[in-house]
Amino acid sequence: MCLLFNRVVDMENPERHTVYLVVSLFVTFLSNKNSTPTDEKANAKKQSLVFRHFNTLLGYSSTEKCFTIPPARLRKAAVCNAFISGLPEILDMNLHTGNQLLPTVVQLLIHLPSPQKLASDQNVTNYSLALLTQHTRHLWLQSLILILYKYRFDQLPVSDNIMRLIGIVVKTLQNQVHECSEGEQSTEIDTWDEIEEDDTGRPELIRPESLTVTTIKEATPAAEGIVQVGAVRVMQPTIVEPEGLAPEPMIARKRSTIVQEVKRKKSAIEIVKKSCTLRCGHCNEAIEMFDEETVSLCLIALETFLHREPSMAAPILFKILYTVTRLIDTPMYPWHSTEMFVPANSRSVAKQMLRVSLHHLSTSAICLQLFDTKIPRPDAFWAVIALSLADFPELSPVYFIQILLEDLEESWPGSVRLIMKNLAFYIVEISTDMYNQPWVNLVGHLETFFKRYHTAISVDNANPPTRAEIENVIVVMSHVLKVQTFNSSKCPVALVEAFAKWLSESLHGAEVSLEALLGVCTACNRALIRERDKQCVTRAVVTELMQAIKFKAKLHEANYVTIANMVLQDAGEDIEVALLDDQFNTAASEAIRPFLFEVLDFIADLHVIAKLKKESNSDSLGGDLKVKLAEAIAVEMSRSNARDCRTVIRFIPWLMSPPSVTQAAPGAFADSVTNVRVLSWLLLGALHANHSCLPVPIECSQHMADYIHFVLAGFADQSKQSVVHMSALFHAFHLCQLWTVYCERAATYSSATAFAHLIDFWARVTPAILQLLSHSKVLADMVNLHFLNTIQALQQVNSALLCQLYSMWAPILTAYHSQIPNQLRMKLDSCQNQPSLEAPLVTEWLKKVRYKISQVELQTSAASPYYTV
C-alpha cells in the first residue's frame, strides 16, 4: 500500500484522488480529540506503527531522520497535499497527537518549500515560500503559527528547526520588498529586443523595468512543432489553411490536428512561463511577489515567535524589525501611500506587529539596542517606526525616547555616537504639536542625559564628540526646543543650561557647522520666555570664544571663525558661508557686547597670531579671526547715527589725542605703533562689512593723519631700538592705504565731504614722508618701496585719489636719488603700463592686505622676544 501511495505523484493518475481522500480521512481522524487513546500503554505500539507507516508515505525515514523524496516531487504528492490540508486542524484540535507529530511536522515544513533538486542534496538554508502554491503557503503558515502559539519549541532539536522555519518566513518577506545587498555588482543584461544566447546556449531577457527574465529549466515535450531555442524547446506556432474543398473525413482530421496543436502550444507556453523568473537588474536576485494574506500570515508568525521566545529571536531581532519596516515603507498598492485605511491589509498588520513587538520588548532594553545599531537607510527606518507608534497610546513615539533615556541612565555605553545619529533621524519624524504630556515628561530625562553626557566627555583621556555626533545632538535639542509645550515642563531652563554646558565642552574637540549653531541658538531664543534665558545657548557659545581668545580654553580650529561668523550674521552682515535659511535670530551680537573691550585687547596683542598658529598650525587663522572680530567691533561702533565721535571716545579714546612730536612720552612711539595696527584692523573689519559701516567718523581724518605723522617722524630714531619699531613703517603705509579706500567708499555711499577730508589727510602725511627721505640712502630706499607699494595698491582698487595726486607723488620717488633706482623703476613702469581693464575686486585686495599684516605681526612676534632692547 505504501509503495502504491508513494508512486501516486502524477497529476493525471486516476489513483491520486483516491489516495487523497484516504489520507484526508486519516487526517480528519487525527484532528478529533476523541482519537487520543485512553489506555496509552495498550495503544502506544499501534499508534507508533501507524505513524511510522504514515511517515513512510510522506517519504520520511525514521531511521535517518530525513526525507528521501525530493521537495519538488513531495509538493505534487497526493499524500503530502492531503496531510498539509488538515495539518492546521490537527495542531489546533489535538495537542496530544500534535506533540507526537511535531518533530516530523517541523522537518516537513522545512523540506517542502526547499529548492534543492534531490533529497540527498545539501540542505539549502536561504529560501522563501515561493515554490509553494498560494493555498499551500497559507496552510504552511497557519501550521507554523499554531506551533508557535500552542507548542513548546525551546528544546533541541525542535528549537533549531523552528529557527530555520523563521528564517524561511523572514526570507519570504525580504523577497517581497527586495533590496540589493551592499557590495553586489550589477550584471550585464540584454533587453527584450536583444535576445541572444550566451556561451552556454542559455538566453537571458530583460524587462523594461530593469527586471531580468532568466530561463531556469528546460522544456521537455518531444513532439512535432517543438523548436529548440537554446536550452529551451518552445512550440512553433502552426497555421493550417484549407486548400479548396475537401471530404468531410479530411476536414475532421485537420480540425483534430488543429486542436492538438493548440493544446501543445498552450502546454509549451506554460512550460516557458514556469521556466522564467523575474530577477533584479542590479544584483540578479529573484524578484518574488506574494499575496496580501501570505504577507499578513508571515507577520503574524513573526510576532507570535517574538512574543513567545524573545531570547531565541534576539540574534535575528533586528533583521525581523528591519524587514517589517521595509514592508511598511514599500507600498504594494496605491492606497498604501495614502491615509486611507483598508481593513486586513498587510501594511496595517505590519504596523500592528511592529508596535506590539516593540511594546512587548520595551522592558528588555530593546530601545537601547535599536538605537545603538547601524541601520541601512536610517531615515526611512525611523520614519516607519514613528509612523507605526503614532496612534498607539501604550507606546507613543515620545515615550519610546524616554525609555531609551531610562536605559542609558541604567547602563551608559562606551560611545553614544551611533545612538545620537539614530535618535536625530527618529526625533524629527515626531510632531511637536502632539503628545503634550509625554514631551513634558521627557524634559527631565533629557536634563539628566546631558549632565551625564557632559561628564563622559570631560574626563581625562575621553574621546571628544565628532562633528557628526555634535550636529546630531543639536538636531535632537533643536527639535525638543520647538515643542509647543516646552515651557510647561518643570525645568526647561535647567535642560537648556545642561545642553549649553555640554555644547561648550564639545566645541573644544570637533568642528561644528555654522548652520547647526544658528539653528539651536535660534530655537532656544524662541522657546524660552525670559530675556536672559533666551540667550542661554548663544551666551555659552560666545563666552567659550572669549575664553579661547584669552587662551584660557582651546577651541577646534574651525570653531573660532564659525562663532565669529555667528556674531556677524546676527548683526546683519554678509558672511562667506552659504545658508539655506536666513530666518535666524540668535542675539549673538548682543551677547558679545560685554566682551568688546576684551576683543579690542585681542586685536591689539601682537603675539596672538603666533599663539594661534602654534595651537592650530595655521598661518591664516589668526588674521581671519582678527578681521572677523574687528568687523564685529566696527559694526557695533557704527550703530550710532550721530555724526560725532562718541563711539570713538568709548572704544578708542586715544585716537582723539594723538601724541606730539615735540612733547612725546618715553613709550609713546611703541604705543602709537600699536594704535596704528589697531586702526588698520578696524578699517579692515569696516571694509569687510556692509557699505553703511563707518566706525571711525570721516571727521577724525586729521587725528588719523597726526598719528601717521608721529610714527613717520619718529621712525628714523626709534626703528633701531626694537623689531617692533622696525615694522612701524609697514603699518603706517598700510593704514594710509586702508584709510584712503575707507574714505573713497564713504564718499561713494554716505559722505559728501569724505573726499575733501582725504585730500587734507594726504596733505598732512606727504610732508612727513618727504622729511623721512632725507635721512639716509637705506631709509630712502625703504620709504620709496613702501610708497610705491601704496601707489600700486591704490591702482589695484581703482582709486580716484591716485589720479589727482600722482603728479604730486612722483617727485617723492626722486627726492633722495637723482633718478629712480632700477628695481623701483621696473615696479613703477609695471604700474604705469598695465592699467586695469576690469572692475577691481576690493575683497581680493583686502584679503591680500589682511594676510600681509598677519604675516608681519607673526614675524615681529617671533623676533621681538630676542631683539627687544
PDB file of all heavy atoms in Angstrom, residues 504-535:
ATOM      1  N   SER A 504      29.433  73.662  25.023  1.00  0.00           N
ATOM      2  CA  SER A 504      30.667  74.411  25.237  1.00  0.00           C
ATOM      3  C   SER A 504      31.867  73.481  25.307  1.00  0.00           C
ATOM      4  O   SER A 504      32.924  73.757  24.728  1.00  0.00           O
ATOM      5  CB  SER A 504      30.571  75.233  26.532  1.00  0.00           C
ATOM      6  OG  SER A 504      29.513  76.156  26.462  1.00  0.00           O
ATOM      7  N   GLU A 505      31.704  72.365  25.984  1.00  0.00           N
ATOM      8  CA  GLU A 505      32.797  71.392  26.075  1.00  0.00           C
ATOM      9  C   GLU A 505      33.062  70.726  24.732  1.00  0.00           C
ATOM     10  O   GLU A 505      34.212  70.463  24.365  1.00  0.00           O
ATOM     11  CB  GLU A 505      32.449  70.343  27.138  1.00  0.00           C
ATOM     12  CG  GLU A 505      33.551  69.332  27.410  1.00  0.00           C
ATOM     13  CD  GLU A 505      34.767  69.956  28.076  1.00  0.00           C
ATOM     14  OE1 GLU A 505      34.603  70.960  28.802  1.00  0.00           O
ATOM     15  OE2 GLU A 505      35.876  69.439  27.857  1.00  0.00           O
ATOM     16  N   SER A 506      32.017  70.491  23.967  1.00  0.00           N
ATOM     17  CA  SER A 506      32.162  69.807  22.680  1.00  0.00           C
ATOM     18  C   SER A 506      32.881  70.664  21.649  1.00  0.00           C
ATOM     19  O   SER A 506      33.520  70.129  20.731  1.00  0.00           O
ATOM     20  CB  SER A 506      30.783  69.405  22.139  1.00  0.00           C
ATOM     21  OG  SER A 506      30.125  68.557  23.043  1.00  0.00           O
ATOM     22  N   LEU A 507      32.774  71.991  21.788  1.00  0.00           N
ATOM     23  CA  LEU A 507      33.419  72.884  20.831  1.00  0.00           C
ATOM     24  C   LEU A 507      34.937  72.780  20.869  1.00  0.00           C
ATOM     25  O   LEU A 507      35.614  73.211  19.946  1.00  0.00           O
ATOM     26  CB  LEU A 507      33.000  74.332  21.100  1.00  0.00           C
ATOM     27  CG  LEU A 507      31.535  74.680  20.829  1.00  0.00           C
ATOM     28  CD1 LEU A 507      31.230  76.089  21.325  1.00  0.00           C
ATOM     29  CD2 LEU A 507      31.212  74.571  19.344  1.00  0.00           C
ATOM     30  N   HIS A 508      35.478  72.198  21.923  1.00  0.00           N
ATOM     31  CA  HIS A 508      36.932  72.097  22.040  1.00  0.00           C
ATOM     32  C   HIS A 508      37.509  71.051  21.091  1.00  0.00           C
ATOM     33  O   HIS A 508      38.640  71.213  20.635  1.00  0.00           O
ATOM     34  CB  HIS A 508      37.323  71.723  23.477  1.00  0.00           C
ATOM     35  CG  HIS A 508      36.874  72.730  24.484  1.00  0.00           C
ATOM     36  ND1 HIS A 508      36.851  72.490  25.843  1.00  0.00           N
ATOM     37  CD2 HIS A 508      36.401  73.994  24.342  1.00  0.00           C
ATOM     38  CE1 HIS A 508      36.408  73.548  26.484  1.00  0.00           C
ATOM     39  NE2 HIS A 508      36.110  74.475  25.600  1.00  0.00           N
ATOM     40  N   GLY A 509      36.764  70.004  20.829  1.00  0.00           N
ATOM     41  CA  GLY A 509      37.366  68.862  20.146  1.00  0.00           C
ATOM     42  C   GLY A 509      36.962  68.636  18.716  1.00  0.00           C
ATOM     43  O   GLY A 509      37.605  67.855  18.011  1.00  0.00           O
ATOM     44  N   ALA A 510      35.875  69.244  18.251  1.00  0.00           N
ATOM     45  CA  ALA A 510      35.407  68.953  16.890  1.00  0.00           C
ATOM     46  C   ALA A 510      34.767  70.188  16.280  1.00  0.00           C
ATOM     47  O   ALA A 510      34.263  71.069  16.985  1.00  0.00           O
ATOM     48  CB  ALA A 510      34.399  67.794  16.909  1.00  0.00           C
ATOM     49  N   GLU A 511      34.787  70.214  14.957  1.00  0.00           N
ATOM     50  CA  GLU A 511      34.179  71.327  14.222  1.00  0.00           C
ATOM     51  C   GLU A 511      32.660  71.234  14.265  1.00  0.00           C
ATOM     52  O   GLU A 511      32.094  70.143  14.245  1.00  0.00           O
ATOM     53  CB  GLU A 511      34.659  71.285  12.771  1.00  0.00           C
ATOM     54  CG  GLU A 511      34.065  72.344  11.872  1.00  0.00           C
ATOM     55  CD  GLU A 511      34.503  72.209  10.436  1.00  0.00           C
ATOM     56  OE1 GLU A 511      35.313  71.294  10.151  1.00  0.00           O
ATOM     57  OE2 GLU A 511      34.025  72.990   9.591  1.00  0.00           O
ATOM     58  N   VAL A 512      32.015  72.380  14.329  1.00  0.00           N
ATOM     59  CA  VAL A 512      30.559  72.456  14.272  1.00  0.00           C
ATOM     60  C   VAL A 512      30.187  73.411  13.149  1.00  0.00           C
ATOM     61  O   VAL A 512      30.796  74.471  12.992  1.00  0.00           O
ATOM     62  CB  VAL A 512      29.968  72.972  15.599  1.00  0.00           C
ATOM     63  CG1 VAL A 512      28.453  72.963  15.547  1.00  0.00           C
ATOM     64  CG2 VAL A 512      30.457  72.135  16.764  1.00  0.00           C
ATOM     65  N   SER A 513      29.211  73.018  12.355  1.00  0.00           N
ATOM     66  CA  SER A 513      28.811  73.871  11.235  1.00  0.00           C
ATOM     67  C   SER A 513      28.084  75.110  11.745  1.00  0.00           C
ATOM     68  O   SER A 513      27.417  75.083  12.794  1.00  0.00           O
ATOM     69  CB  SER A 513      27.915  73.106  10.265  1.00  0.00           C
ATOM     70  OG  SER A 513      26.645  72.870  10.831  1.00  0.00           O
ATOM     71  N   LEU A 514      28.221  76.188  10.997  1.00  0.00           N
ATOM     72  CA  LEU A 514      27.563  77.442  11.376  1.00  0.00           C
ATOM     73  C   LEU A 514      26.046  77.282  11.405  1.00  0.00           C
ATOM     74  O   LEU A 514      25.369  77.785  12.312  1.00  0.00           O
ATOM     75  CB  LEU A 514      27.966  78.544  10.388  1.00  0.00           C
ATOM     76  CG  LEU A 514      27.274  79.898  10.569  1.00  0.00           C
ATOM     77  CD1 LEU A 514      27.567  80.486  11.940  1.00  0.00           C
ATOM     78  CD2 LEU A 514      27.689  80.868   9.471  1.00  0.00           C
ATOM     79  N   GLU A 515      25.495  76.561  10.430  1.00  0.00           N
ATOM     80  CA  GLU A 515      24.040  76.416  10.362  1.00  0.00           C
ATOM     81  C   GLU A 515      23.493  75.667  11.570  1.00  0.00           C
ATOM     82  O   GLU A 515      22.414  75.971  12.070  1.00  0.00           O
ATOM     83  CB  GLU A 515      23.648  75.709   9.072  1.00  0.00           C
ATOM     84  CG  GLU A 515      22.185  75.825   8.744  1.00  0.00           C
ATOM     85  CD  GLU A 515      21.894  75.629   7.273  1.00  0.00           C
ATOM     86  OE1 GLU A 515      22.810  75.250   6.532  1.00  0.00           O
ATOM     87  OE2 GLU A 515      20.751  75.872   6.879  1.00  0.00           O
ATOM     88  N   ALA A 516      24.267  74.688  12.069  1.00  0.00           N
ATOM     89  CA  ALA A 516      23.824  73.959  13.257  1.00  0.00           C
ATOM     90  C   ALA A 516      23.780  74.877  14.473  1.00  0.00           C
ATOM     91  O   ALA A 516      22.807  74.862  15.249  1.00  0.00           O
ATOM     92  CB  ALA A 516      24.749  72.771  13.511  1.00  0.00           C
ATOM     93  N   LEU A 517      24.827  75.689  14.646  1.00  0.00           N
ATOM     94  CA  LEU A 517      24.838  76.622  15.778  1.00  0.00           C
ATOM     95  C   LEU A 517      23.719  77.647  15.671  1.00  0.00           C
ATOM     96  O   LEU A 517      23.033  77.953  16.656  1.00  0.00           O
ATOM     97  CB  LEU A 517      26.190  77.339  15.840  1.00  0.00           C
ATOM     98  CG  LEU A 517      27.369  76.568  16.435  1.00  0.00           C
ATOM     99  CD1 LEU A 517      28.614  77.431  16.445  1.00  0.00           C
ATOM    100  CD2 LEU A 517      27.057  76.085  17.843  1.00  0.00           C
ATOM    101  N   LEU A 518      23.529  78.180  14.468  1.00  0.00           N
ATOM    102  CA  LEU A 518      22.455  79.162  14.275  1.00  0.00           C
ATOM    103  C   LEU A 518      21.100  78.548  14.592  1.00  0.00           C
ATOM    104  O   LEU A 518      20.237  79.194  15.210  1.00  0.00           O
ATOM    105  CB  LEU A 518      22.483  79.678  12.836  1.00  0.00           C
ATOM    106  CG  LEU A 518      23.669  80.562  12.432  1.00  0.00           C
ATOM    107  CD1 LEU A 518      23.630  80.847  10.930  1.00  0.00           C
ATOM    108  CD2 LEU A 518      23.660  81.870  13.204  1.00  0.00           C
ATOM    109  N   GLY A 519      20.901  77.299  14.161  1.00  0.00           N
ATOM    110  CA  GLY A 519      19.608  76.648  14.374  1.00  0.00           C
ATOM    111  C   GLY A 519      19.284  76.446  15.837  1.00  0.00           C
ATOM    112  O   GLY A 519      18.183  76.784  16.300  1.00  0.00           O
ATOM    113  N   VAL A 520      20.237  75.913  16.608  1.00  0.00           N
ATOM    114  CA  VAL A 520      19.930  75.629  18.018  1.00  0.00           C
ATOM    115  C   VAL A 520      19.852  76.918  18.834  1.00  0.00           C
ATOM    116  O   VAL A 520      19.021  77.026  19.755  1.00  0.00           O
ATOM    117  CB  VAL A 520      20.976  74.648  18.601  1.00  0.00           C
ATOM    118  CG1 VAL A 520      22.333  75.313  18.810  1.00  0.00           C
ATOM    119  CG2 VAL A 520      20.475  74.042  19.904  1.00  0.00           C
ATOM    120  N   CYS A 521      20.680  77.916  18.519  1.00  0.00           N
ATOM    121  CA  CYS A 521      20.599  79.189  19.252  1.00  0.00           C
ATOM    122  C   CYS A 521      19.288  79.912  18.958  1.00  0.00           C
ATOM    123  O   CYS A 521      18.675  80.508  19.856  1.00  0.00           O
ATOM    124  CB  CYS A 521      21.789  80.078  18.892  1.00  0.00           C
ATOM    125  SG  CYS A 521      23.380  79.468  19.505  1.00  0.00           S
ATOM    126  N   THR A 522      18.849  79.853  17.711  1.00  0.00           N
ATOM    127  CA  THR A 522      17.563  80.464  17.350  1.00  0.00           C
ATOM    128  C   THR A 522      16.410  79.742  18.039  1.00  0.00           C
ATOM    129  O   THR A 522      15.475  80.379  18.545  1.00  0.00           O
ATOM    130  CB  THR A 522      17.375  80.436  15.829  1.00  0.00           C
ATOM    131  OG1 THR A 522      18.439  81.161  15.206  1.00  0.00           O
ATOM    132  CG2 THR A 522      16.045  81.050  15.421  1.00  0.00           C
ATOM    133  N   ALA A 523      16.469  78.409  18.054  1.00  0.00           N
ATOM    134  CA  ALA A 523      15.408  77.634  18.710  1.00  0.00           C
ATOM    135  C   ALA A 523      15.327  77.972  20.196  1.00  0.00           C
ATOM    136  O   ALA A 523      14.233  78.109  20.755  1.00  0.00           O
ATOM    137  CB  ALA A 523      15.662  76.136  18.515  1.00  0.00           C
ATOM    138  N   CYS A 524      16.486  78.119  20.837  1.00  0.00           N
ATOM    139  CA  CYS A 524      16.491  78.500  22.260  1.00  0.00           C
ATOM    140  C   CYS A 524      15.929  79.898  22.446  1.00  0.00           C
ATOM    141  O   CYS A 524      15.156  80.147  23.385  1.00  0.00           O
ATOM    142  CB  CYS A 524      17.914  78.420  22.795  1.00  0.00           C
ATOM    143  SG  CYS A 524      18.087  78.933  24.513  1.00  0.00           S
ATOM    144  N   ASN A 525      16.282  80.803  21.566  1.00  0.00           N
ATOM    145  CA  ASN A 525      15.815  82.185  21.659  1.00  0.00           C
ATOM    146  C   ASN A 525      14.299  82.286  21.523  1.00  0.00           C
ATOM    147  O   ASN A 525      13.660  83.150  22.125  1.00  0.00           O
ATOM    148  CB  ASN A 525      16.505  83.023  20.578  1.00  0.00           C
ATOM    149  CG  ASN A 525      16.416  84.507  20.849  1.00  0.00           C
ATOM    150  OD1 ASN A 525      16.254  84.930  21.985  1.00  0.00           O
ATOM    151  ND2 ASN A 525      16.497  85.301  19.805  1.00  0.00           N
ATOM    152  N   ARG A 526      13.718  81.386  20.751  1.00  0.00           N
ATOM    153  CA  ARG A 526      12.273  81.419  20.531  1.00  0.00           C
ATOM    154  C   ARG A 526      11.506  80.591  21.557  1.00  0.00           C
ATOM    155  O   ARG A 526      10.318  80.827  21.779  1.00  0.00           O
ATOM    156  CB  ARG A 526      11.963  80.904  19.126  1.00  0.00           C
ATOM    157  CG  ARG A 526      12.468  81.823  18.013  1.00  0.00           C
ATOM    158  CD  ARG A 526      12.313  81.186  16.649  1.00  0.00           C
ATOM    159  NE  ARG A 526      12.760  82.081  15.573  1.00  0.00           N
ATOM    160  CZ  ARG A 526      12.879  81.721  14.302  1.00  0.00           C
ATOM    161  NH1 ARG A 526      12.590  80.482  13.938  1.00  0.00           N
ATOM    162  NH2 ARG A 526      13.299  82.586  13.394  1.00  0.00           N
ATOM    163  N   ALA A 527      12.177  79.614  22.178  1.00  0.00           N
ATOM    164  CA  ALA A 527      11.462  78.684  23.057  1.00  0.00           C
ATOM    165  C   ALA A 527      11.238  79.252  24.450  1.00  0.00           C
ATOM    166  O   ALA A 527      10.164  79.068  25.038  1.00  0.00           O
ATOM    167  CB  ALA A 527      12.225  77.366  23.149  1.00  0.00           C
ATOM    168  N   LEU A 528      12.238  79.942  24.995  1.00  0.00           N
ATOM    169  CA  LEU A 528      12.152  80.409  26.377  1.00  0.00           C
ATOM    170  C   LEU A 528      11.509  81.792  26.459  1.00  0.00           C
ATOM    171  O   LEU A 528      11.424  82.511  25.456  1.00  0.00           O
ATOM    172  CB  LEU A 528      13.541  80.417  26.998  1.00  0.00           C
ATOM    173  CG  LEU A 528      14.200  79.021  27.080  1.00  0.00           C
ATOM    174  CD1 LEU A 528      15.600  79.121  27.630  1.00  0.00           C
ATOM    175  CD2 LEU A 528      13.360  78.072  27.915  1.00  0.00           C
ATOM    176  N   ILE A 529      11.111  82.166  27.647  1.00  0.00           N
ATOM    177  CA  ILE A 529      10.311  83.385  27.838  1.00  0.00           C
ATOM    178  C   ILE A 529      11.164  84.548  28.326  1.00  0.00           C
ATOM    179  O   ILE A 529      11.159  85.623  27.735  1.00  0.00           O
ATOM    180  CB  ILE A 529       9.161  83.107  28.828  1.00  0.00           C
ATOM    181  CG1 ILE A 529       8.241  82.009  28.260  1.00  0.00           C
ATOM    182  CG2 ILE A 529       8.374  84.374  29.100  1.00  0.00           C
ATOM    183  CD1 ILE A 529       7.167  81.546  29.231  1.00  0.00           C
ATOM    184  N   ARG A 530      11.909  84.351  29.400  1.00  0.00           N
ATOM    185  CA  ARG A 530      12.704  85.447  29.958  1.00  0.00           C
ATOM    186  C   ARG A 530      13.860  85.803  29.034  1.00  0.00           C
ATOM    187  O   ARG A 530      14.473  84.912  28.426  1.00  0.00           O
ATOM    188  CB  ARG A 530      13.238  85.067  31.342  1.00  0.00           C
ATOM    189  CG  ARG A 530      12.162  84.908  32.387  1.00  0.00           C
ATOM    190  CD  ARG A 530      12.759  84.921  33.781  1.00  0.00           C
ATOM    191  NE  ARG A 530      13.919  84.035  33.895  1.00  0.00           N
ATOM    192  CZ  ARG A 530      14.707  83.993  34.963  1.00  0.00           C
ATOM    193  NH1 ARG A 530      14.461  84.804  35.981  1.00  0.00           N
ATOM    194  NH2 ARG A 530      15.725  83.166  35.005  1.00  0.00           N
ATOM    195  N   GLU A 531      14.189  87.084  28.958  1.00  0.00           N
ATOM    196  CA  GLU A 531      15.225  87.548  28.047  1.00  0.00           C
ATOM    197  C   GLU A 531      16.572  86.911  28.353  1.00  0.00           C
ATOM    198  O   GLU A 531      17.307  86.531  27.446  1.00  0.00           O
ATOM    199  CB  GLU A 531      15.335  89.082  28.118  1.00  0.00           C
ATOM    200  CG  GLU A 531      14.189  89.823  27.457  1.00  0.00           C
ATOM    201  CD  GLU A 531      14.086  89.491  25.973  1.00  0.00           C
ATOM    202  OE1 GLU A 531      15.137  89.369  25.309  1.00  0.00           O
ATOM    203  OE2 GLU A 531      12.949  89.345  25.485  1.00  0.00           O
ATOM    204  N   ARG A 532      16.904  86.814  29.603  1.00  0.00           N
ATOM    205  CA  ARG A 532      18.187  86.222  29.963  1.00  0.00           C
ATOM    206  C   ARG A 532      18.241  84.753  29.557  1.00  0.00           C
ATOM    207  O   ARG A 532      19.269  84.260  29.086  1.00  0.00           O
ATOM    208  CB  ARG A 532      18.440  86.388  31.456  1.00  0.00           C
ATOM    209  CG  ARG A 532      19.735  85.724  31.917  1.00  0.00           C
ATOM    210  CD  ARG A 532      20.076  86.057  33.351  1.00  0.00           C
ATOM    211  NE  ARG A 532      21.284  85.331  33.762  1.00  0.00           N
ATOM    212  CZ  ARG A 532      22.523  85.706  33.457  1.00  0.00           C
ATOM    213  NH1 ARG A 532      22.720  86.780  32.728  1.00  0.00           N
ATOM    214  NH2 ARG A 532      23.564  85.005  33.885  1.00  0.00           N
ATOM    215  N   ASP A 533      17.146  84.052  29.745  1.00  0.00           N
ATOM    216  CA  ASP A 533      17.109  82.634  29.388  1.00  0.00           C
ATOM    217  C   ASP A 533      17.188  82.426  27.883  1.00  0.00           C
ATOM    218  O   ASP A 533      17.752  81.424  27.418  1.00  0.00           O
ATOM    219  CB  ASP A 533      15.839  81.990  29.939  1.00  0.00           C
ATOM    220  CG  ASP A 533      15.786  82.044  31.459  1.00  0.00           C
ATOM    221  OD1 ASP A 533      16.858  82.162  32.081  1.00  0.00           O
ATOM    222  OD2 ASP A 533      14.667  81.998  32.017  1.00  0.00           O
ATOM    223  N   LYS A 534      16.624  83.357  27.134  1.00  0.00           N
ATOM    224  CA  LYS A 534      16.606  83.223  25.684  1.00  0.00           C
ATOM    225  C   LYS A 534      18.018  83.087  25.098  1.00  0.00           C
ATOM    226  O   LYS A 534      18.239  82.372  24.129  1.00  0.00           O
ATOM    227  CB  LYS A 534      15.914  84.436  25.043  1.00  0.00           C
ATOM    228  CG  LYS A 534      14.400  84.465  25.174  1.00  0.00           C
ATOM    229  CD  LYS A 534      13.854  85.770  24.625  1.00  0.00           C
ATOM    230  CE  LYS A 534      12.339  85.796  24.641  1.00  0.00           C
ATOM    231  NZ  LYS A 534      11.750  84.897  23.632  1.00  0.00           N
ATOM    232  N   GLN A 535      18.997  83.794  25.709  1.00  0.00           N
ATOM    233  CA  GLN A 535      20.356  83.811  25.179  1.00  0.00           C
ATOM    234  C   GLN A 535      21.257  82.766  25.831  1.00  0.00           C
ATOM    235  O   GLN A 535      22.480  82.839  25.692  1.00  0.00           O
ATOM    236  CB  GLN A 535      20.970  85.193  25.384  1.00  0.00           C
ATOM    237  CG  GLN A 535      20.273  86.307  24.643  1.00  0.00           C
ATOM    238  CD  GLN A 535      20.937  87.653  24.888  1.00  0.00           C
ATOM    239  OE1 GLN A 535      22.071  87.725  25.323  1.00  0.00           O
ATOM    240  NE2 GLN A 535      20.211  88.722  24.597  1.00  0.00           N
TER     241      GLN A 535
END
